[in-house]
Amino acid sequence: MMEIAMFLMCYVLTALHDHHMFQLNSYKAGTYARGLFRNFHKDYARRHYAVILLVFAAFLRNPYVLSFLYAIQAYQNRPRKAKKPLAYTPRMVRMLVTHSVIVGSITVWSCLINNQSILLASFFAATPLFTALSNLLNSPLEKAINNWYISDAKRILREMPRLIVIGITGSYGKTSTKFFLQKLLSYKYNTLMTPESFNTPMGVVKTVRTQLRPVHDVFVCEMGAKNTGDIKELCDIARPRHGVITAVGPQHLETFKTIENVEKTKFELADAVMDAPSGGMVFLNYDYEIIRNRARGNLVKDHKKVTSYSASGQESDYAAKDISVSSAGSSFCVTFPDGEERRFETKLIGKHNVQNIAAAIAVADYLGVDRDDVVLGVRRLETVPHRLQLIRKNSIIIIDDAYNSNPGGASAALETLGMFEGVKIMVTPGMVEMGEAQDEANRRFGAEAAGVCDFVFLMGKHQTGSILKGLRDASFPEEKVKVAETLEQAFEAIEKIDAGAKKQKIVLLENDLPDNY
């Protein structure tokens, strides 16, 4: 009995870890499986070596030895501090109940056969399989529950026919644009936006069901995607009247596979707006050639429903120009479709923030927000958390760009770091979810960082090898490249760096991988 009790304790801790990883992978079995192989070196290899020892000990039929080994494994799989802890949502609770039934049934059965120790020790290696099986068995119930929630959200939206729904999607910039647009629209409208990164179908549904009220005039809905058809699914729920496409670029190529699939998926928003009876305007970022080509070709159905904006000199309806960007903020002019020109100032840093603000200005102006209010609103914009957010910590200036990383965003972040005076330090785990392009993108990222940074801290050895290669290719000094396993370790080392006389340290946090990486 002691052996069984220790096994169950060890198994529970291991299973909770696996369910946490499954949740972080959006309850998608394929993504979860890829994560198992990706993290084999740091987690599952160690676990399977332990299983071999457990099976060997089981042959000895010594319950004390087995109990001791189970206790060691339980300690190794003890709960650790997580960036995003396991959330015991109703769906997760249902998964855990199903998993418990599976494990309980097999455990009872194993007690009735002679080789139960060997079976239990081998069974310990199968926790990822049973985690995925629990999700599979629950899938009909989960689909029925989700469909009910989706139907209820659609009902709420149908009962608000005067509500203006604005969909925002793009490979990059959609969250910042959403925040900026909500602020500018608030000068004329009672506006609700999807919070944080609630850009999945159930995130949008939850926002509608729990936060949308009859007093709202506008609903700004962020739409994320990792697979073709994801934006169409979101449009079928939210039915946007207007849409904003902020960028099309190499993001989530692990699932999209090709940039053509990314383009097709993002333009599902444009198709939905143009096909809808109450469809309004699609706002396109002309700073991206792939967007310009699609808009100017025959792939946009109604050119009268397209408004363009830019911040790089491209001819567009709303053109930001004369851009001045420094560590103190940004200023720029915008030429409006009627020829009027206005000067804007903001404390936000980075040229790509000007691009996102230009998108918000275009939509706000189209919806009739007074241009004086738009100028004032831009001046009052706050930095979006973890997106080039400036944080002062004693003698260190932190540029927190930790939310996400992609080739365009990484280049923009390095450009921003280069504006500051002092010792320039980058802390990064690199870019992920880029499929076959990932190694080359990270290598170029490393080479680009070599031209800006004085020190580079790589978070983890396995994930950052391509960045290190890029740094070496650019002849970056080896002694100024450090490897750290945690952010705390990195900052302990950064504190010890001598910044010299009257020099401050500027630390760029570029990307922060979730616990499933």
Side-chain angles (χ1 to χ4, degrees):
M1 291 302 296
M2 178 179 66
E3 174 191 345
I4 297 296
M6 293 302 296
F7 165 80
L8 288 175
M9 181 181 72
C10 182
Y11 190 89
V12 165
L13 292 175
T14 306
L16 286 175
H17 169 78
D18 289 338
H19 279 74
H20 185 201
M21 296 301 105
F22 203 91
Q23 187 178 69
L24 291 175
N25 283 294
S26 303
Y27 296 95
K28 295 184 183 296
T31 308
Y32 175 63
R34 286 191 292 270
L36 294 181
F37 289 106
R38 182 177 59 237
N39 294 324
F40 190 86
H41 63 274
K42 71 175 184 179
D43 185 3
Y44 295 96
R46 180 189 66 197
R47 184 190 301 189
H48 291 156
Y49 294 149
V51 169
I52 294 173
L53 292 176
L54 289 170
V55 172
F56 176 74
F59 275 110
L60 300 178
R61 298 179 180 272
N62 187 323
Y64 297 102
V65 174
L66 265 176
S67 297
F68 176 71
L69 290 175
Y70 282 137
I72 293 176
Q73 277 299 101
Y75 177 77
Q76 288 183 336
N77 288 284
R78 67 192 185 281
R80 292 175 170 84
K81 183 179 179 181
K83 299 168 186 174
K84 187 176 182 181
L86 174 64
Y88 290 93
T89 62
R91 177 172 183 173
M92 178 52 63
V93 171
R94 290 190 290 269
M95 267 190 72
L96 289 170
V97 169
T98 302
H99 195 130
S100 299
V101 170
I102 296 172
V103 173
S105 301
I106 297 179
T107 302
V108 170
W109 175 71
S110 70
C111 292
L112 302 178
I113 64 176
N114 293 328
N115 292 325
Q116 68 183 67
S117 295
I118 297 175
L119 179 63
L120 290 179
S122 302
F123 182 51
F124 175 68
T127 52
L129 174 63
F130 289 123
T131 298
L133 179 61
S134 299
N135 182 69
L136 179 63
L137 293 174
N138 284 3
S139 58
L141 174 62
E142 298 302 334
K143 185 176 181 179
I145 292 172
N146 287 349
N147 286 341
W148 187 90
Y149 285 139
I150 291 171
S151 296
D152 191 48
K154 288 181 176 180
R155 175 192 61 79
I156 293 171
L157 290 167
R158 281 197 308 270
E159 293 174 356
M160 299 179 65
R162 297 180 62 184
L163 180 72
I164 300 172
V165 180
I166 304 171
I168 299 180
T169 192
S171 299
Y172 338 115
K174 54 185 175 292
T175 302
S176 295
T177 301
K178 173 188 68 177
F179 272 88
F180 301 157
L181 180 56
Q182 189 272 334
K183 292 295 184 183
L184 298 187
L185 290 178
S186 67
Y187 283 89
K188 181 177 180 179
Y189 301 99
N190 192 337
T191 306
L192 173 70
M193 68 176 178
T194 47
E196 299 173 344
S197 293
F198 276 39
N199 57 18
T200 63
M202 297 317 296
V204 172
V205 165
K206 183 176 181 179
T207 304
V208 170
R209 296 185 66 248
T210 61
Q211 297 186 37
L212 189 63
R213 297 292 181 265
V215 296
H216 288 121
D217 305 307
V218 177
F219 176 37
V220 181
C221 181
E222 180 180 345
M223 298 179 170
K226 291 188 178 181
N227 299 278
T228 302
D230 284 354
I231 299 300
K232 183 181 184 303
E233 181 182 2
L234 285 159
C235 290
D236 289 343
I237 296 171
R239 299 190 181 279
R241 186 180 305 180
H242 307 296
V244 183
I245 300 178
T246 62
V248 173
Q251 181 79 316
H252 300 308
L253 289 180
E254 186 175 72
T255 49
F256 277 123
K257 305 302 182 184
T258 68
I259 194 68
E260 289 77 18
N261 285 336
V262 177
E263 176 192 359
K264 177 182 177 182
T265 303
K266 299 308 178 184
F267 272 84
E268 289 170 359
L269 173 58
D271 294 339
V273 169
M274 293 182 180
D275 288 342
S278 60
M281 188 63 66
V282 178
F283 297 84
L284 301 178
N285 183 357
Y286 269 25
D287 288 337
Y288 286 85
E289 182 180 6
I290 195 169
I291 294 178
R292 293 197 306 273
N293 291 342
R294 183 164 185 131
R296 291 169 178 170
N298 297 320
L299 297 178
V300 171
K301 300 174 184 178
D302 189 347
H303 288 268
K304 293 180 181 178
K305 291 187 176 182
V306 172
T307 293
S308 58
Y309 67 91
S310 71
S312 63
Q314 291 295 328
E315 183 179 345
S316 58
D317 298 307
Y318 292 84
K321 57 185 181 181
D322 298 330
I323 301 171
S324 175
V325 179
S326 71
S327 59
S330 308
S331 66
F332 55 96
C333 289
V334 170
T335 302
F336 290 79
D338 59 8
E340 183 180 357
E341 189 173 287
R342 291 290 187 103
R343 188 77 186 172
F344 292 87
E345 295 180 351
T346 177
K347 56 187 171 185
L348 305 184
I349 59 175
K351 285 186 179 179
H352 74 291
N353 264 328
V354 174
Q355 196 177 74
N356 297 331
I357 294 171
I361 290 171
V363 179
D365 184 65
Y366 178 81
L367 292 178
V369 179
D370 187 274
R371 289 177 183 175
D372 290 336
D373 289 335
V374 173
V375 171
L376 178 62
V378 169
R379 188 179 299 124
R380 291 178 174 176
L381 288 177
E382 298 289 337
T383 307
V384 180
H386 310 303
R387 292 160 177 85
L388 290 185
Q389 180 183 15
L390 279 184
I391 302 171
R392 297 186 182 274
K393 182 180 179 183
N394 300 325
S395 61
I396 298 176
I397 296 176
I398 298 173
I399 305 173
D400 184 352
D401 196 40
Y403 174 75
N404 207 346
S405 189
N406 52 74
S411 294
L414 285 169
E415 181 182 10
T416 302
L417 177 63
M419 299 174 189
F420 288 78
E421 294 295 330
V423 179
K424 302 177 183 68
I425 305 164
M426 182 175 71
V427 181
T428 185
M431 293 173 272
V432 296
E433 296 184 346
M434 295 190 64
E436 295 179 357
Q438 184 166 303
D439 284 342
E440 177 59 20
N442 278 315
R443 187 198 64 77
R444 290 198 302 267
F445 177 36
E448 190 174 355
V452 177
C453 302
D454 297 304
F455 291 88
V456 174
F457 284 78
L458 303 176
M459 303 300 294
K461 292 181 179 179
H462 297 278
Q463 181 66 38
T464 57
S466 298
I467 302 175
L468 181 59
K469 185 177 187 304
L471 289 166
R472 286 172 173 165
D473 290 346
S475 302
F476 192 77
E478 291 275 351
E479 67 273 12
K480 293 190 175 182
V481 180
K482 314 291 182 183
V483 177
E485 292 300 324
T486 66
L487 195 59
E488 289 76 13
Q489 288 179 6
F491 269 95
E492 285 177 6
I494 289 170
E495 291 282 357
K496 297 175 183 177
I497 293 176
D498 183 9
K502 297 182 179 180
K503 275 195 175 183
Q504 61 186 359
K505 301 172 192 173
I506 304 94
V507 180
L508 170 63
L509 303 181
E510 184 59 19
N511 206 5
D512 182 21
L513 299 184
D515 299 286
N516 51 317
Y517 280 90

